[in-house]
Each structure stands twice: as structure tokens, then as C-alpha cells.
Amino acid sequence: MALLAGCAANDGTGSKTASAGTKAPPPGMNKGYSHDPFPSTYRAYPGRPTLITNVTVLDGEGGRVDNGQVLFRDGKIVAVGQNLDAGGADVIDGQGKWVTPGIIDIHSHLGDYPSPSVDALSDGNEATAPVTAEVWAEHSVWPQDPGFSRALANGGVTTLQILPGSANLMGGRSVTLKNVYARTMQGMKFPGAPYGLKMACGENPKRVYGGKGRAPSTRMGNVAVNRATWAKAAEYRRKWDKYETDGGDAPTRDIQMDTLRGVLSGEILVHNHCYRADEMAIVMDMAKEFGYQVSTFHHAVESYKIADLLKANGVCSAVWADWYGFKMESYDAVTENLAILDKEGACAMIHSDDANGIQRLNQEVAKAMAAGRRAGMTITPEHAWTWLSYNPAKAMGIAEQTGSLKPGKMADVVLWNGDPFSVYTRPERVWIDGALMYDMNNPKMRPVADFELGQPGEGDVK
């Protein structure tokens, strides 16, 4: 009714009540529950118009410009090329240096497992039931985790997805953050980024709950509990869809089922921890049975065995370069995994799952690129950078906003002091939404978390 009143008020004739094409919303629509009760309050830091010149540019989507330039203004990329008009922007001569989009880590636990790593700060795994889809990783994020600034200064990471842990079949919601300093989690929250649901198959859930003498204790138990839960979610979704369409009494609210309804309606993306190829195939069939889409398999050490299935199902793989062998399901790894997936046309990317690894994801991709080349594959640096920014942006549903240096996108930019695939190279400056957040040559631009104040080495060891 409010919508109709608004239309009438704007009509200006004093006689029309609503345009002929305006329809009243269904009687229960938007009356059930808020889908965004903890909204982003992120505001970009102030920046200055900037032109970086004389650099090698990798645009994040496979493009490269030698002796190139990057211009950004008002928080957005304006142009990438040569002979650009500075138009009054600050000019940085980057002779001999490289510029890339900021790195995006699709799998991090920063803030949920902050430093120092002590039990009092361990808030990433609600390991009290095999299904805890009701928990949200953002409610454990500690914005003062020094790991955020280390990922920024050492790794050039500008965006990251924080996932709950993998003890559970359905571990809860993820949250996507801009890697900026903020007092609250909402101040870091990437505006408009879709939520994810963290799922896990394999050894973790069957070990954790089988060890407690309850289901699941086997892989078939994993699938059985998942299917029973999805069946319940489908019924929950049906009731709410009917209420929103037809009105009447609202169904009883279930916070856990809210998340699964979001998955079934395509509002929330599935990020599924899974190592073995055969289990990934089963998960994809289960997704078809209940009508949802898996965005990405994480840790997927055996993805190379089913690259064709992953491509056919439109499912991405987030992998390590050479981290394997720490449990039985992680043994059958090959260092060419990422390169093989890419060669076969499946979506693939690097990820960290680690507070130290997130500081060197560029070097992890260098290792994956080298392994592919040794196997005879042609992989250019400009293509390999898609594994660090554009592909994770696609898998997280934010590629329209960031992940590459295309005009109109967020100016999330890293100036490297050399070839970013060299172990000797570091980020020299990092901008987020066009705001300079780190400058290795300016002590005042070296981030120090509240926790680090007064600590030995403060501000000069990152």
C-alpha cells in the first residue's frame, strides 16, 4: 500500500491512483524477515586522483600492457593503456614496476582465528552439531586481527571471504570483507556481496561427529544427513514462498533454515570444502536433486581428475599450489592441478586457508604456473593473474565490482616493486577504492593494529 500511495503522490495530476503497469506486491512479500539484518556500513577512505606510469600492467582478465599506465579517480578505475591524460591527477612514475588488481582470497579465517592463536580467540568452528547453518562467520570477526594488515601489506590482498570452519557438514554463512581498517565488522563488509554457505564433505565431519558417537560417522552418513537437511529446507522454502505469494499466517521462523532457503533461491552461494573427486561428483548430483548450485569446491586437491565434470556443471575449484598429504583425503595431489583445470576450461583459482599463506598468494600462483609450464602448458603471467583476482571475484559474486582493472570497477590496485611472481618482490603501495592504504616507503602508511601498539617491532616489520 505504501508503494501505491507513493506512485499517486508523484503523479502530479491529483486524479490517478497508480500507473497502469504498477502491481501491488504479493501480500506476504517483504513482511516475513529481514535478509540483511547486519548491513554493511563500509565507506571508502578518501583518495586522490592518481595516474601510475611506466609500469607493466596485468589487468586481471588476461590483458597486459607493457610500458603502461593506470588512471583512477573517485574510487574507480578510469582507464588502462598508454599516453593517458592525467587531468590533474597525482602522477607516480613506476619505472620497472608492475601494477595488478588487488588479490582476492576466497578462503580465509582471519578475524575468526585471529592472532595471537589462543583458545580465547578461537571462534571459527561451531563444532557442536553436524549442521550449524544458523551461525554467521561475521559474528566472530575481530576487526583488530593483525592478520588483516599483514595480508594487505605483505600480500596485496584487498578483498577476502571469511568462512566458518570445516568441522560441520553445513558450517554456517561466510562474509566478504574489504581489507580496510574499521572499528566494526560491518565497517569492512563488502557492500552488496552475496553471502556464502560453508559446507564440508569427507573426513572432517565424519571424524568430529563420529568421534562423539553420533551421525555422521561415515561418508554415506555425511550424504544422508545432508539430504535429510535439504529436504527439510525445501519444505521450509515452500511454506515461506507460499506465504509471501498468498499471505495468511507467517510460518514459524527458523534461523538455520533461513540460510538454506537462501541457497535454494540462489541468494546465497555454496562454498564446499571437498578433497576427493568422487565426493565432488556426488555433491554435484545432490545439488541437482535439491535444486541448488555449488559455486566452488575448496581445497579441491583431486579436481584435476574431474575437470570435465566441473566445467559441465559450472563449478569452480579453489586450490593450493602444493599443500597436500596432511590427511588421507589430501594425498592424491599434483602440483599441476590448477593448470590442468584451467587448460580444460574449468574455473580455477588459488586460495590460502591460512594466515601466513595469504601473505604470499602471488608466490603460490608462481609455483602453480611453473608446474604447468614444466608439464608443457603455455601459461602467461597475465593469464595466471586471473587465478588471483578475477576468478575468485566471479566465484564470490563480486566480479561486476572488482577483480580486474576495467573502467568503472573499484580501484583496488597494487603497485609491486618488481615482477609480482618473484619471491623478491613486495607490494610497494596498495589502494582500496582509490584510497592509499599502504605505502612501504612511508612509515606513517604502515598499518598497526590496536593489538600491536607497544609491541616490539611495531610498524616496521611488515
Side-chain angles (χ1 to χ4, degrees), residues 195-197 199 230 237 260-272 283-297 309-317 347 394-395:
Y195 281 110
L197 169 64
M199 295 183 66
W230 284 122
R237 180 192 183 193
L260 302 188
R261 181 189 180 218
V263 172
L264 295 175
S265 65
E267 178 183 327
I268 295 174
L269 307 176
V270 170
H271 295 276
N272 204 133
V283 169
M284 286 188 283
D285 280 348
M286 181 170 66
K288 291 174 186 172
E289 179 184 9
F290 291 99
Y292 69 92
Q293 172 71 28
V294 178
S295 168
T296 308
F297 287 116
L309 291 180
L310 293 164
K311 178 183 177 182
N313 285 279
V315 180
C316 297
S317 295
C347 167
K394 286 193 296 183

Side-chain angles (χ1 to χ4, degrees), residues 52-56 92-99 415-416 428:
I52 310 173
T53 65
N54 297 319
V55 289
T56 302
I92 298 173
D93 185 354
Q95 183 68 48
K97 301 170 186 175
W98 295 52
V99 170
L415 173 65
W416 303 84
E428 182 170 306

Side-chain angles (χ1 to χ4, degrees), residues 106 296 316-319 338 347-351 386-388 391-392 395:
I106 194 172
T296 308
C316 297
S317 295
V319 304
L338 208 167
C347 167
M349 70 210 70
I350 202 76
H351 70 344
T386 64
W387 304 342
L388 284 157
N391 287 359

Side-chain angles (χ1 to χ4, degrees), residues 85-388:
D85 181 3
D90 295 345
V91 177
I92 298 173
D93 185 354
Q95 183 68 48
K97 301 170 186 175
W98 295 52
V99 170
T100 70
I103 289 174
I104 298 174
D105 189 1
I106 194 172
H107 193 120
S108 174
H109 300 295
L110 292 181
D112 280 12
Y113 289 124
S115 301
S117 178
V118 296
D119 286 347
L121 296 177
S122 179
D123 293 310
N125 240 327
E126 184 58 39
T128 51
V131 176
T132 59
E134 69 273 21
V135 306
W136 299 24
E138 65 190 51
H139 297 147
S140 285
V141 168
W142 186 42
Q144 295 180 34
D145 179 4
F148 287 120
S149 60
R150 283 166 167 74
L152 174 79
N154 295 334
V157 173
T158 54
T159 299
L160 63 171
Q161 177 173 228
I162 310 302
L163 294 150
S166 55
N168 318 72
L169 294 169
M170 299 180 181
R173 292 197 193 198
S174 68
V175 63
T176 296
L177 303 177
K178 304 282 284 192
N179 195 11
V180 299
Y181 319 112
R183 296 175 299 166
T184 66
M185 168 276 297
Q186 290 97 323
M188 304 174 72
K189 204 168 179 179
F190 194 114
Y195 281 110
L197 169 64
K198 171 70 178 299
M199 295 183 66
C201 49
E203 293 181 23
N204 284 15
K206 81 187 189 79
R207 180 186 70 245
V208 170
Y209 299 102
K212 296 177 180 179
R214 60 173 299 185
S217 65
T218 61
R219 283 183 162 82
M220 60 185 174
N222 285 348
V223 175
V225 175
N226 272 330
R227 294 180 71 223
T229 307
W230 284 122
K232 180 181 176 184
E235 176 62 13
Y236 184 76
R237 180 192 183 193
R238 187 191 65 76
K239 291 179 179 177
W240 271 99
D241 287 353
K242 185 176 187 306
Y243 163 73
E244 292 184 348
T245 301
D246 301 334
D249 295 330
T252 301
R253 183 86 180 274
D254 184 323
I255 303 297
Q256 182 181 94
M257 290 294 117
D258 286 349
T259 293
L260 302 188
R261 181 189 180 218
V263 172
L264 295 175
S265 65
E267 178 183 327
I268 295 174
L269 307 176
V270 170
H271 295 276
N272 204 133
H273 154 129
C274 216
Y275 290 78
R276 278 185 12 188
D278 59 318
E279 286 195 274
M280 292 185 234
I282 289 171
V283 169
M284 286 188 283
D285 280 348
M286 181 170 66
K288 291 174 186 172
E289 179 184 9
F290 291 99
Y292 69 92
Q293 172 71 28
V294 178
S295 168
T296 308
F297 287 116
H298 293 231
H299 315 332
V301 299
E302 293 189 10
S303 274
Y304 65 94
K305 297 180 179 178
I306 55 167
D308 57 334
L309 291 180
L310 293 164
K311 178 183 177 182
N313 285 279
V315 180
C316 297
S317 295
V319 304
W320 295 294
D322 54 5
W323 196 5
Y324 74 102
F326 44 87
K327 54 183 173 179
M328 197 68 198
E329 64 188 2
S330 72
Y331 264 83
D332 207 2
V334 297
T335 55
E336 298 85 357
N337 192 14
L338 208 167
I340 291 171
L341 288 163
D342 188 89
K343 180 176 181 293
E344 296 302 317
C347 167
M349 70 210 70
I350 202 76
H351 70 344
S352 77
D353 189 24
D354 182 71
N356 289 312
I358 195 173
Q359 300 176 45
R360 290 177 289 280
L361 285 171
N362 55 317
Q363 296 174 26
E364 295 302 297
V365 161
K367 290 191 286 187
M369 181 168 57
R373 288 173 173 174
R374 283 194 298 271
M377 294 176 239
T378 300
I379 307 169
T380 63
E382 52 268 30
H383 183 76
W385 203 269
T386 64
W387 304 342
L388 284 157

